[in-house]
Amino acid sequence: RRNAMHGRVAYFRNAYRDLLEYLTRTQLPQAGVPAATAAAAQYGAYVNASSYTARGLEASFDARAGDRLRVSGSYTYLQATVTRALSATPVFNPAFPGVPIGAYAPLVGARPFRRPTHSGSVLATLHARATQVSAAVALVGARDDSTYLSDGFFGNSLLLPNRNLSP
């Protein structure tokens, strides 16, 4: 067909369990590691100890206008929540009293780091004889993250609240 449009919509609901996270040797017993084994670890270890749930919606379309122009796009809405994170001990920056901050990992109940709520893309392709020209745009919403910073005395004064740190 010269002119056609197709669309797709999908709902998803997933649970991700036993994800890797780094635990210090004092945190290892919380993950079920025997105390003697945890004490033998020099600094800590990576173990399957975190989890999160994710649900959302994916939509996409593909449209053709004549023989030369094709446009496609996609959009994803993601609602994700950390359900277990043994390494996520909340810290507090004196400039944000009462706001728990995940210094190295997202806190339980928060969004996983670097997972945007909104993302999408658009691609347009023009065919003309032996030439093809394409233009693509990718859009990614704000994401939670950590600054991973501490002050000169290893305090928390340079840490920022995790919400939307990655624009």
Side-chain angles (χ1 to χ4, degrees), residues 18-51:
D18 295 326
L19 300 171
L20 279 176
E21 72 176 319
Y22 183 82
L23 298 179
T24 65
R25 64 182 188 180
T26 58
Q27 294 170 325
L28 286 171
Q30 296 174 32
V33 175
T37 305
Q42 186 173 5
Y43 300 106
Y46 285 95
V47 295
N48 296 71
S50 69
S51 63

Side-chain angles (χ1 to χ4, degrees), residues 6-147:
H6 302 280
R8 294 169 290 285
V9 176
Y11 171 80
F12 60 89
R13 184 178 181 98
N14 299 313
Y16 300 96
R17 294 184 180 91
D18 295 326
L19 300 171
L20 279 176
E21 72 176 319
Y22 183 82
L23 298 179
T24 65
R25 64 182 188 180
T26 58
Q27 294 170 325
L28 286 171
Q30 296 174 32
V33 175
T37 305
Q42 186 173 5
Y43 300 106
Y46 285 95
V47 295
N48 296 71
S50 69
S51 63
Y52 71 88
T53 59
R55 65 183 173 142
L57 186 71
E58 294 176 324
S60 63
F61 74 92
D62 186 41
R64 184 177 296 269
D67 293 333
R68 295 183 178 206
L69 180 62
R70 181 176 180 175
V71 179
S72 59
S74 66
Y75 169 77
T76 301
Y77 170 77
L78 171 66
Q79 183 180 16
T81 305
V82 174
T83 55
R84 183 175 184 220
L86 298 179
S87 66
T89 304
V91 296
F92 297 88
N93 181 328
F96 303 99
V99 177
I101 299 169
Y104 300 104
L107 302 174
V108 172
R111 294 188 314 211
F113 284 173
R114 295 174 290 284
R115 302 291 187 274
T117 301
H118 304 280
S119 60
S121 64
V122 176
L123 171 67
T125 303
L126 181 64
H127 300 273
R129 296 186 188 189
T131 304
Q132 175 178 316
V133 177
S134 296
V137 176
L139 306 164
V140 179
R143 299 165 309 280
D144 289 359
D145 209 339
S146 174
T147 56

